[in-house]
Amino acid sequence: MTSTSINPLREGRSGRKPAEPCSIVVLGATGDLTGRKLIPALFNLFLDGHLPARFVIVGFARRPKSDAEFREDLYKDLCEFSRVKPRSREEAEEFLAHVHYQQGNLDCSADFDGLRGRLESLEAERSLPANRLFYFAIAPEFFETVISLLQGAGLSQPANPDRAWTRMIIEKPFGEDLASARELNRKVQSVFDESQVYRIDHYLGKETVQNLLAFRFANSIFEPLWSSRYIDHVQITMGEEVGMPGRRGQYFDKAGILRDVVQNHVLQLLCLTAMEPPASLDADSLRDEKVRVLRAIRTMSVEEVAESVVRGQYGAGSLRGKECLAYRAENQIEPDSVTETYVAWRLEVKNWRWAGVPFLLRAGKRLPKRATEIAVIFKHPPHQVFDIAPEFRLPNTLALRIQPDEGIAITFSAKQPGLLMNLQPVQMDFRYGTSFGSQSPEAYERLLLDGIVGDGSLFTRGDEVEEAWRLCTAILDGWKAMPRPTDFPNYDAGSWGPTAADRLTADLASGWRKL
Ligand code: BG6
């Protein structure tokens, strides 16, 4: 198999839209995300020649800092976090010469006027058009204020829309339930046109997630099987080994895993698995189909939540031979917290294609392994002519490994060599690493570049986010209406979650997959 540098999914024959000269403004420039992800991603785009010849990056944050000090900090970040590290100080300097720092408070209108002045003078100095991309790498409590202040400073719309553009990339969490997401959408859309808004879900930037589209819609062999006629059920797992590193607990204890990863990453994987073929890959066709999937899932009552959703919280345990603290003993976690660190959810996509096919979603912290996977489990043949021992009677399975060990495996039955007709499950396995060799770009590289060139297909739309919240809010409301869980912690760190989750798979051809 050969690989090319062109991504046929996005670029077609004519190549990707060129990146126009622009200013990238990172709001929250001294935070973790900027140093670990955004600046390294921009540096890699720069190295690979994807950034325009003329561009500036302006970091905006509270702490006083000179351009030189900011560049020095970012140099260290590049050496530590970049996918491709700088080969020399000079190489990094070449990139960092485009970077500037503007001190300002997120709630001070004069500071946004200052930002505007700085942008205008940089644009004049560097002969840049007023193309501006604002990246909201800030705490969600500032989202609305910053939107107002950008508007107040005249930064939310280009002065001359025929000659320049303004866009904003907004990080998750986009709301904390349906009401707040609606409110935030209202605010965003009162200032920006939806076409200016790029709601980021970094899972959509992952190569393997994009490959789901290629796998499903660029091949003809699987699509005819992709329905309730042949599929028994689908399992989507997002397992993580990490617990609550650093100050992570401060956010997580208020959020829980349902809000943190299910409302966004896991439901996105579900949408891409279950959606109908879009008419084209443009942003709206793709997002229309994803929204249709979400709309086909019913809002659950409290009773349905109790029946279809299992939550858990990890206790002390061990992972890869290392002792792990219980969630409640982690940094910044309330000692009697009932925040869920695990959730399993069985749902149905109620449409023609999927009627009667259970979708099982699960996500957890401190599971034995970091593994994100979509597994499609097929029905057994209608009539079995072979006398297969029960332990070998496994259904055909298609496993799309999102990460790590990215690839796709098909399990099927084969005859064991010998004089007897003995069957055994075997695997055909495609591995990204072996087939394509080269290192994939980081999700943030893809998504930042898409923001710069104005391609919204890998970002979520306002209605899509609200639909996802509709489903998750029903779960949150259900939990609120139930008594506080008294069995937490109900799984050991390093195990596959609470045994209570097994009841969700009790009637299926196979239980939860052992990854
Ligand atoms: C983030 C969540 O969105 O995704 C984290 O807030 C989670 O809790 C992370 O650990 C997982 O991302 P990845 O790319 O490491 O799978």
Side-chain angles (χ1 to χ4, degrees):
M1 200 174 294
T2 56
S3 66
T4 69
S5 59
I6 291 202
N7 176 350
L9 234 192
R10 324 292 323 290
E11 282 132 318
R13 285 229 192 109
S14 53
R16 136 188 305 285
K17 274 198 259 172
E20 294 168 324
C22 63
S23 303
I24 300 156
V25 181
V26 181
L27 303 161
T30 49
D32 249 20
L33 181 70
T34 305
R36 285 172 178 264
K37 297 286 181 192
L38 304 182
I39 295 296
L42 288 165
F43 176 63
N44 279 285
L45 289 172
F46 175 78
L47 288 183
D48 292 342
H50 293 301
L51 292 186
R54 282 173 297 133
F55 71 96
V56 287
I57 298 169
V58 179
F60 180 88
R62 189 171 39 88
R63 278 175 235 166
K65 231 185 250 283
S66 65
D67 281 2
E69 285 165 332
F70 187 46
R71 289 175 185 166
E72 190 54 39
D73 293 347
L74 297 184
Y75 176 66
K76 290 187 197 120
D77 291 331
L78 289 182
C79 295
E80 194 174 349
F81 302 117
S82 188
R83 175 172 64 84
V84 178
K85 308 260 183 302
R87 279 164 301 188
S88 63
R89 178 87 196 201
E90 291 68 41
E91 187 178 60
E93 292 295 347
E94 214 187 305
F95 166 74
L96 291 169
H98 295 261
V99 178
H100 301 269
Y101 187 79
Q102 176 71 14
Q103 193 265 326
N105 284 304
L106 293 173
D107 54 2
C108 172
S109 63
D111 291 349
F112 279 79
D113 292 335
L115 175 62
R116 181 184 170 159
R118 185 74 187 276
L119 281 171
E120 285 170 350
S121 69
L122 283 168
E123 285 162 358
E125 228 171 79
R126 304 213 175 194
S127 308
L128 285 168
N131 292 330
R132 295 164 182 167
L133 177 65
F134 293 95
Y135 198 111
F136 283 50
I138 54 178
E141 55 267 31
F142 288 108
F143 286 169
E144 299 206 12
T145 312
V146 168
I147 290 169
S148 297
L149 294 182
L150 282 173
Q151 184 182 32
L155 285 168
S156 59
Q157 296 298 331
N160 186 344
D162 295 332
R163 305 225 334 251
W165 47 259
T166 299
R167 299 184 188 123
M168 56 101 91
I169 299 186
I170 188 161
E171 267 292 335
K172 71 179 254 279
F174 195 91
E176 54 183 38
D177 55 16
L178 178 58
S180 55
R182 275 194 181 139
E183 185 50 41
L184 182 54
N185 263 334
R186 253 198 299 276
K187 178 72 194 177
V188 168
Q189 290 161 348
S190 70
V191 172
F192 297 98
D193 183 76
E194 180 65 27
S195 63
Q196 295 178 277
V197 182
Y198 293 70
R199 295 175 194 76
I200 205 164
D201 181 324
H202 79 280
Y203 262 59
L204 294 176
K206 290 183 190 272
E207 284 289 339
T208 42
V209 175
Q210 292 168 56
N211 190 47
L212 254 169
L213 292 169
F215 178 80
R216 287 199 53 205
F217 304 130
N219 297 296
S220 60
I221 51 176
F222 294 104
E223 207 48 30
L225 308 179
W226 214 253
S227 73
S228 61
R229 186 146 181 213
Y230 296 105
I231 293 177
D232 184 77
H233 70 279
V234 177
Q235 293 192 20
I236 301 181
T237 302
M238 178 175 171
E240 292 185 273
E241 286 177 33
V242 285
M244 294 295 126
R247 290 154 43 85
R248 182 77 184 148
Q250 197 179 15
Y251 149 79
F252 190 90
D253 206 33
K254 290 194 197 79
I257 200 142
L258 184 79
R259 289 187 174 98
D260 186 38
V261 307
V262 178
Q263 185 274 339
N264 36 70
H265 311 326
V266 177
L267 285 180
Q268 284 295 326
L269 296 180
L270 167 74
C271 286
L272 294 170
T273 308
M275 68 193 267
E276 294 302 314
S280 78
L281 283 179
D282 71 65
D284 274 331
S285 306
L286 208 61
R287 298 190 286 191
D288 285 346
E289 295 306 338
K290 287 196 287 161
V291 172
R292 278 191 193 116
V293 173
L294 296 171
R295 287 208 186 116
I297 305 170
R298 280 226 322 262
T299 310
M300 283 184 284
S301 63
V302 177
E303 293 70 36
E304 286 166 329
V305 171
E307 200 182 298
S308 313
V309 185
V310 172
R311 58 184 154 157
Q313 187 191 77
Y314 61 83
S318 76
L319 226 164
R320 297 188 189 274
K322 269 203 187 145
E323 297 299 303
C324 302
L325 293 175
Y327 175 73
R328 287 174 177 174
E330 299 259 28
N331 190 20
Q332 317 237 340
I333 304 297
E334 294 294 325
D336 59 349
S337 169
V338 289
T339 299
E340 83 288 354
T341 60
Y342 172 98
V343 71
W345 175 10
R346 176 170 168 155
L347 59 85
E348 215 184 292
V349 178
K350 296 214 177 258
N351 62 17
W352 194 281
R353 187 190 283 262
W354 294 115
V357 178
F359 281 80
L360 289 122
L361 318 182
R362 64 179 161 162
K365 299 275 183 192
R366 283 283 191 237
L367 300 190
K369 209 171 158 187
R370 175 173 181 254
T372 300
E373 182 207 73
I374 300 166
V376 178
I377 293 90
F378 290 88
K379 291 182 174 168
H380 284 292
H383 173 64
Q384 189 53 269
V385 293
F386 299 101
D387 184 18
I388 309 177
E391 68 273 26
F392 288 154
R393 207 173 296 148
L394 293 178
N396 291 134
T397 303
L398 173 73
L400 298 130
R401 293 188 305 270
I402 303 298
Q403 66 182 26
D405 189 20
E406 291 79 358
I408 300 174
I410 299 176
T411 311
F412 58 100
S413 295
K415 181 188 173 303
Q416 282 176 0
L419 299 178
L420 298 175
M421 194 58 172
N422 282 341
L423 303 191
Q424 174 181 324
V426 292
Q427 263 203 354
M428 278 196 310
D429 201 349
F430 153 71
R431 286 164 188 272
Y432 266 78
T434 325
S435 297
F436 291 112
S438 68
Q439 240 192 340
S440 295
E442 285 262 337
Y444 277 96
E445 293 173 42
R446 158 69 64 203
L447 296 173
L448 272 161
L449 185 58
D450 282 358
I452 293 168
V453 300
D455 180 347
S457 49
L458 297 179
F459 294 83
T460 51
R461 206 168 55 190
D463 53 346
E464 191 178 348
V465 173
E466 287 184 19
E467 283 297 325
W469 272 123
R470 171 180 61 81
L471 301 172
C472 292
T473 304
I475 299 179
L476 295 168
D477 288 348
W479 288 345
K480 252 187 252 153
M482 291 173 204
R484 255 172 90 86
T486 50
D487 61 340
F488 277 11
N490 59 357
Y491 72 98
D492 293 342
S495 74
W496 276 107
T499 47
D502 292 346
R503 76 178 157 76
L504 301 184
T505 56
D507 60 330
L508 300 177
S510 53
W512 287 108
R513 279 172 59 77
K514 295 175 185 59
L515 303 181

